[in-house]
Amino acid sequence: MPALPDLVCSECAAVYPVESLAWQCACGAILDVVDFAGTVDAAALAGRETSLWRYAEALPIAVDPAISLGEGLSPLVPSLALAHVQLKLDFLLPTLSFKDRGAVVLATLAKRLGVTQAMVDSSGNAGTAMAAYFGRAGIGCTVYVPESTSPGKLAQMRAHGATVELVPGSRADTSAAALRAAGQPGVMYASHVYHPYFLHGVKTYGYEIWEQRGRSLPETVVVPVGNGTLLLGCYLAFRELVAAGLAERMPRLCAVQASACSPLEQAMAQGLDAPVAVQSGATIAEGIAIAAPPRGKQILAAVRATGGTIISVTDRQTAAARQELADEGLFVEPTSAVSFAAVRAAADQTFDFDSPTWTTAATLLTACSVVVPLCGAGLKSPGDTTRAQA
């Protein structure tokens, strides 16, 4: 079996064997996978299984079919309301969110390393994905979540056999509690934010867009961003496809935040390289209410490298977009609706004309081809649309 790529510090370049279960550098910086850039065998794709493991060469770990739940190749469908938009339905993956992509890779890694216990912190979807895939792998899993987490997500975690630790306060308080517990001997901190193998699982989202669009990439990809794992995964995929000569150019990445918690949008508007310090306000988009994203610098750099931007939308816009998607037969959680809300605002010119980030976004979101991810199912979150309540 091929050796596993090591981890390298994004700041000081210190190297850690992946077998060490390291999740953060001693200097406090985040880790990436060292010298790894996958190249998919495009000629072999036609005869492969319909899961994300079809891109095995692009992943840092060999396939373990015993763990897979058939995740991947979610549908890419046209929007009925906006002719230039395609919607990618990752809320149809096994645990009803895109987090399955990274969770299956981390669970596969943990099984190969002989891990018997894992822990993770989450606002909900990552916790449900980790609970399912670590359960599939026969590995015990503890999930730290805010006590305000949606009941549906809590029920799903417990149903998969995870131990759920409810943490009072904000998502940041939950992260702090998990970090205090991380580092126990023999316990893998399977963080969807800190562990870079997770990002390489998520990058299969970008490979699928390329394959499903006839081996071409759209002009713009619009991504909801809290911790930024989906955006960074897409960036990895698109960069690898271009480097391999399988795509001509990078799509422009447009990140969308909730206006009540927008540290990256504010940093972009001010020309900063790191997130602005904010207090997270209440928002229906609970999955992206991240006041201090650990990979914030990488998110900002990735967006700028593609000529993209970062914007924010209000809860009112998000709720309206969620209803519009439901009218099309697509019932998603509010976090998933923020990207569609941004595209709708650009199409209707109902954005803030004085915002420098929205001035750029208006062009990106009305381009000839735009892909919008729908990342989490509506049944996971409270707050049905008005029509659903009636």
Side-chain angles (χ1 to χ4, degrees):
M1 192 173 291
L4 296 168
D6 291 331
L7 309 181
V8 60
C9 177
S10 60
E11 296 290 341
C12 73
V15 175
Y16 296 82
V18 71
E19 293 83 358
S20 69
L21 302 184
W23 54 270
Q24 187 179 41
C25 183
C27 76
I30 57 176
L31 301 176
D32 295 313
V33 179
V34 65
D35 295 332
F36 181 83
T39 302
V40 70
D41 184 354
L45 289 176
R48 290 189 173 176
E49 61 182 304
T50 54
S51 82
L52 61 78
W53 295 109
R54 68 194 284 106
Y55 310 112
E57 305 96 331
L59 297 173
I61 186 167
V63 178
D64 186 341
I67 294 179
S68 178
L69 292 169
E71 59 291 322
L73 277 186
S74 61
L76 183 67
V77 303
S79 166
L80 298 181
L82 299 170
H84 67 299
V85 173
Q86 291 177 297
L87 307 168
K88 186 149 173 64
L89 312 186
D90 257 28
F91 70 91
L92 298 179
L93 295 188
T95 76
L96 310 181
S97 91
F98 84 94
K99 297 289 176 58
D100 290 2
R101 297 179 181 276
V104 68
V105 171
L106 284 188
T108 301
L109 173 65
K111 185 174 182 180
R112 177 163 169 183
L113 297 181
V115 168
T116 59
Q117 291 290 325
M119 58 164 289
V120 66
D121 59 299
S122 170
S123 61
N125 284 335
T128 60
M130 296 296 185
Y133 283 95
F134 279 96
R136 182 80 169 178
I139 297 171
C141 183
T142 299
V143 184
Y144 287 74
V145 294
E147 61 181 3
S148 60
T149 298
S150 304
K153 294 177 182 178
L154 296 177
Q156 191 176 4
M157 293 173 206
R158 290 170 174 142
H160 292 310
T163 299
V164 177
E165 295 286 346
L166 298 177
V167 181
S170 68
R171 178 65 176 87
D173 294 322
T174 298
S175 296
L179 292 177
R180 288 193 295 270
Q184 301 172 45
V187 177
M188 179 182 186
Y189 181 33
S191 172
H192 64 291
V193 180
Y194 285 98
H195 205 297
Y197 271 54
F198 187 93
L199 295 178
H200 283 268
V202 173
K203 79 182 178 187
T204 59
Y205 187 95
Y207 275 93
E208 289 178 18
I209 291 173
W210 165 79
E211 187 177 2
Q212 290 171 315
R213 285 179 45 83
R215 302 191 177 186
S216 69
L217 292 173
E219 291 181 83
T220 304
V221 176
V222 192
V223 185
V225 169
N227 278 310
T229 54
L230 182 54
L231 183 141
L232 291 173
C234 284
Y235 181 65
L236 282 173
F238 300 151
R239 197 170 58 178
E240 290 175 5
L241 286 164
V242 171
L246 297 173
E248 293 183 359
R249 43 140 187 85
M250 295 277 288
R252 296 163 299 189
L253 291 170
C254 183
V256 187
Q257 299 209 283
S259 59
C261 185
S262 58
L264 294 162
E265 185 264 343
Q266 293 181 48
M268 177 65 69
Q270 297 174 39
L272 303 177
D273 294 330
V276 171
V278 300
Q279 291 292 324
S280 178
T283 174
I284 60 174
E286 62 179 3
I288 55 171
I290 309 298
R295 293 187 180 271
K297 289 183 179 180
Q298 290 185 335
I299 296 166
L300 287 160
V303 169
R304 288 184 172 122
T306 68
T309 191
I310 306 177
I311 53 178
S312 65
V313 294
T314 66
D315 277 4
R316 181 185 293 273
Q317 289 172 306
T318 298
R322 189 187 189 204
Q323 179 61 70
E324 185 171 359
L325 288 166
D327 289 342
E328 293 194 20
L330 303 167
F331 186 42
V332 300
E333 63 179 339
T335 298
S336 288
V338 298
S339 293
F340 193 79
V343 180
R344 169 53 72 193
D348 295 345
Q349 296 189 344
T350 55
F351 51 85
D352 182 357
F353 285 92
D354 294 327
S355 167
T357 56
W358 260 110
T359 300
T360 301
T363 300
L364 303 186
L365 300 181
T366 53
C368 293
S369 57
V370 176
V371 170
V372 172
L374 301 181
C375 316
L379 294 177
K380 282 174 169 278
S381 295
D384 288 346
T385 60
T386 303
R387 189 173 303 162
Q389 291 173 340

